[in-house]
């Protein structure tokens, strides 16, 4: 199973929001705060790993992401729900994990679902502090041969939503770290 | 606030259980499995810290214990409830935390409360795999000056419960590690 994703930094967020309300179904709006940590004795930037603590309105989760492997950049992703943000952060700091500088991602995420050609697509409209507003479209492909076709589908939805803006391939974390440099 | 504790390795566990049923109130019986981890780049035995993942019937918790400080050996103790034992264990292993050898503590804990001289005392009858059956009595002291007096109270309860056995000061983890050496 592959996740296919396109992401655009929006020039016209309010237009896109209106089109999403018309064409899709709003699932939820959630405020998310992500903290990324560095490892006490190895460099996650080098090993291509990440440890993230995410605080949402509805839950707190600790996520480990392993190095990207293969052409499609899939990776191990392990997540547990924890019952307290501050205590988990304190445990991590006692163990020597320090939050990366410029690595706190705060966003207001509104999630929509769209049905296009029988395909279920998840659209996330992300207002990211310090970065702007982004649209992420995501769907699933059963195998690698489907990836290109699914990506074309997502690009066609961008057109239908009259999205104006530049496609981006970096994560919000990478963009914030770039800004901080 | 201080926690005052006495612990005895029981020679007569079934007699003590009967006395507890008569004199106290049974709160719950819970099966607990504890895994202790070593840090990827420092020696917890040297720094006097511990990282424990505990799986009970009713919940899974990750606990950090800091070094003992002061005469009364108080220590930082931070605990979060997590939603999955296996995933938390997998995240810790990916981060380089490996379970210590001989450091899996499995026990069946029956908890009672007793009221003695207006003092609430918690009694835990622990059947520990590979170690035997122990009774732990615990109560709270508001400040250091009360500690001795509270300990005397606990010792008097041992007599009332007709406890036979040797008082122990080591944790179950330390006892298991000693056996493994």
């Amino acid at each position: 199973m592959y996740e296919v994703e396109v992401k655009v930094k929006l020039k016209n967020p309010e237009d896109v929001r209106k089109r999403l309300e018309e064409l899709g179904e709003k699932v939820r709006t959630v405020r998310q705060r992500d903290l990324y940590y560095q490892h006490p004795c190895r460099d996650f930037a080098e090993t291509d790993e990440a440890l993230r603590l995410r605080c949402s309105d509805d839950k707190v989760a600790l996520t480990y992401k392993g190095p990207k492997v293969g052409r499609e950049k899939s990776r191990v992703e392990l997540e547990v729900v924890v019952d307290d943000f501050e205590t988990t952060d304190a445990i991590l700091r006692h163990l020597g994990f320090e939050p990366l500088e410029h690595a706190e991602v705060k966003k207001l995420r509104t999630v929509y679902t769209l049905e296009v050609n029988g395909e279920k697509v998840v659209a996330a409209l992300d207002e990211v502090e310090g970065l702007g507003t982004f649209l992420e479209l995501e769907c699933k492909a059963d195998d690698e041969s489907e990836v290109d076709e699914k990506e074309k589908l997502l690009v066609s939805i961008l057109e239908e939503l009259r999205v104006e803006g530049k496609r981006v391939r970096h994560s919000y974390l990478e963009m914030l770290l770039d800004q901080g440099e």
Side-chain angles (χ1 to χ4, degrees), chain A:
Chain A
M1 179 72 78
Y2 292 88
E3 300 219 316
V4 186
E5 191 188 288
V6 301
K7 184 158 70 176
V8 176
K9 179 163 183 181
L10 298 174
K11 282 189 179 165
N12 59 340
E14 284 320 306
D15 298 345
V16 173
R17 186 186 298 277
K18 269 179 214 151
R19 291 289 283 166
L20 280 168
E21 307 267 352
E22 287 164 21
L23 300 173
E25 193 176 333
K26 190 161 156 179
V27 183
R28 64 195 178 114
T29 298
V30 63
R31 196 166 290 280
Q32 293 178 334
R33 174 187 167 209
D34 295 342
L35 263 184
Y36 287 84
Y37 293 84
Q38 51 189 329
H39 195 280
C41 47
R42 64 186 195 238
D43 186 351
F44 274 169
E46 257 177 40
T47 59
D48 186 26
E49 296 167 288
L51 183 66
R52 180 186 73 197
L53 185 59
R54 166 169 290 177
C55 181
S56 304
D57 298 331
D58 50 350
K59 69 170 185 182
V60 181
L62 181 70
T63 305
Y64 167 81
K65 296 183 185 198
K68 293 182 202 83
V69 288
R71 219 162 58 83
E72 289 308 319
K73 298 193 172 177
S74 56
R75 62 195 328 181
V76 170
E77 189 164 329
L78 298 165
E79 183 165 293
V80 285
V81 174
V82 295
D83 70 342
D84 188 77
F85 184 92
E86 300 304 332
T87 309
T88 309
D89 176 66
I91 290 175
L92 289 172
R93 286 168 195 251
H94 273 97
L95 294 172
F97 291 80
E98 290 291 330
L100 284 164
E101 254 193 293
H102 312 292
E104 186 164 355
V105 182
K106 290 183 187 176
K107 65 177 176 288
L108 186 68
R109 164 168 283 187
T110 309
V111 180
Y112 301 84
T113 51
L114 299 162
E115 188 105 10
V116 184
N117 302 343
E119 185 77 39
K120 202 184 161 184
V121 174
V122 177
L125 196 71
D126 287 338
E127 297 166 60
V128 187
E129 256 188 55
L131 288 179
T133 301
F134 296 78
L135 178 70
E136 255 189 33
L137 298 177
E138 204 179 278
C139 68
K140 302 206 183 297
D142 289 330
D143 53 62
E144 212 181 313
S145 64
E146 277 185 27
V147 169
D148 280 356
E149 176 198 335
K150 291 291 168 77
E151 199 175 308
K152 273 180 200 153
L153 173 80
L154 295 184
V155 171
S156 77
I157 298 173
L158 290 180
E159 284 163 22
E160 198 165 350
L161 292 169
R162 295 178 203 141
V163 165
E164 291 169 27
K166 223 169 85 178
R167 191 160 164 199
V168 289
R169 288 167 201 276
H170 286 120
S171 68
Y172 300 134
L173 171 63
E174 287 166 329
M175 290 183 234
L176 281 167
L177 291 175
D178 281 347
Q179 277 191 356
E181 268 171 7

